[in-house]
Amino acid sequence: MTDRDVVERVAVLFERAVVRLRKRKPHHKLPYATTIKGAPAVRVMYAVRPFLGKSRQRQIDRAIASWKPRRVGRIPIEPSDLLTAQGESREACDRAWLAGLLEGEGSFIGSRGFRSSYPVIKVEMCEQEIIERVAELLGTRVWVAAPGTEGWRPTYIAQLAGHRAAGWMGELRPFMGIRRTAAIDAALSAYHPIRLIAPPLVCVVQGCERPHRSRGLCNTHYMSWSRDRAKGRPPRITPLR
Ligand SMILES: [Zn+2]
């Protein structure tokens, strides 16, 4: 990754060094890497496997199946090495999984309406199974975006806005690296939840002056949002809640 602090944190957990890689293009940021191999890598794979999606589990199974340890007489590594055996609750593991995924793939946005600003958490990926799990954990639904280019895969979006997004940002913030912590702080600093509890007088969509109907939106924008939602399209309008 190009986030040095995130790679450094992984390196501490791996007990390995951080290596600075070469930029592929002059205008790119410097990428950093940390690597763990052999038996210690297999231990980590076993530990995280139960919390990962199916495609990563298959990847792990292939990696372990192809592993031919050089040293004979080594202590075999069994799935009993699982971290869950150390008393971490499923809920804590789910939250850590969500934090890790959002550290890599999530956006923490302070969405600016005409008169108010509200926080949005968004994650968009091609892996339906992963996005479904994100949506379930966040308590939201999945939107499907048709591919922009023919023959490409559709992308899946989980998105949460407003009061509950602010709550999640506060909960996830301690897990995040420097860049996403700053994004969360920016999103939350512009957010004044009193405006959500007391609904706005007019629609929050930029430039719209029509009276408020529901979820921070006027009738026209509410209907547009509602239609997108009913058809399973990614909404063009982000409501307050
Ligand atoms: Zn409107």
Side-chain angles (χ1 to χ4, degrees):
M1 290 182 78
T2 56
D3 293 304
R4 184 178 181 159
D5 65 305
V6 175
V7 179
E8 278 173 349
R9 189 161 157 197
V10 175
V12 167
L13 294 169
F14 280 0
E15 300 176 319
R16 295 293 182 275
V18 172
V19 182
R20 198 162 42 185
L21 303 176
R22 268 186 308 168
K23 297 183 201 182
R24 274 178 295 162
K25 296 257 170 68
H27 63 277
H28 283 181
K29 284 196 276 184
L30 263 181
Y32 298 88
T34 185
T35 312
I36 188 169
K37 297 175 183 173
V42 171
R43 247 179 245 121
V44 171
M45 288 182 195
Y46 273 135
V48 299
R49 191 185 182 284
F51 308 103
L52 300 181
K54 286 196 185 70
S55 69
R56 290 280 183 221
Q57 289 189 346
R58 280 194 296 269
Q59 201 176 25
I60 283 175
D61 294 344
R62 280 196 302 271
I64 293 176
S66 70
W67 180 49
K68 294 183 183 67
R70 254 178 281 166
R71 247 176 281 161
V72 186
R74 134 206 91 78
I75 303 155
I77 295 153
E78 295 298 331
S80 60
D81 279 353
L82 297 184
L83 288 182
T84 35
Q86 294 172 14
E88 287 292 341
S89 73
R90 181 82 213 187
E91 196 189 0
C93 289
D94 281 342
R95 199 184 309 116
W97 178 87
L98 181 64
L101 186 88
L102 293 177
E103 175 71 275
E105 305 287 340
S107 301
F108 298 97
I109 307 155
S111 184
R112 276 171 214 292
F114 184 52
R115 282 190 172 80
S116 59
S117 173
Y118 50 93
V120 177
I121 298 174
K122 184 179 179 183
V123 51
E124 184 169 353
M125 291 176 78
C126 289
E127 287 83 359
Q128 183 175 5
E129 184 203 0
I130 303 295
I131 292 299
E132 278 170 358
R133 188 160 163 207
V134 173
E136 197 191 324
L137 291 171
L138 288 176
T140 184
R141 48 159 296 181
V142 174
W143 287 272
V144 185
T149 308
E150 205 182 326
W152 289 31
R153 287 197 292 168
T155 60
Y156 299 89
I157 300 160
Q159 186 170 312
L160 187 65
H163 202 61
R164 286 175 50 234
W168 270 109
M169 284 186 189
E171 200 168 325
L172 295 169
R173 189 182 180 283
F175 293 96
M176 294 294 150
I178 292 167
R179 189 158 59 92
R180 286 196 162 74
T181 299
I184 287 174
D185 290 347
L188 292 181
S189 71
Y191 172 59
H192 306 290
I194 192 77
R195 289 187 186 159
L196 281 189
I197 292 150
L201 292 173
V202 296
C203 181
V204 297
V205 172
Q206 179 99 41
C208 180
E209 293 279 353
R210 285 183 288 257
H212 176 255
R213 178 201 155 176
S214 186
R215 291 178 179 259
L217 303 173
C218 68
N219 192 55
T220 307
H221 285 126
Y222 178 81
M223 292 309 286
S224 154
W225 170 79
S226 172
R227 268 196 305 275
D228 283 346
R229 199 178 144 93
K231 289 184 178 168
R233 294 188 299 227
R236 290 160 290 183
I237 309 253
T238 306
L240 282 186
R241 59 183 178 85

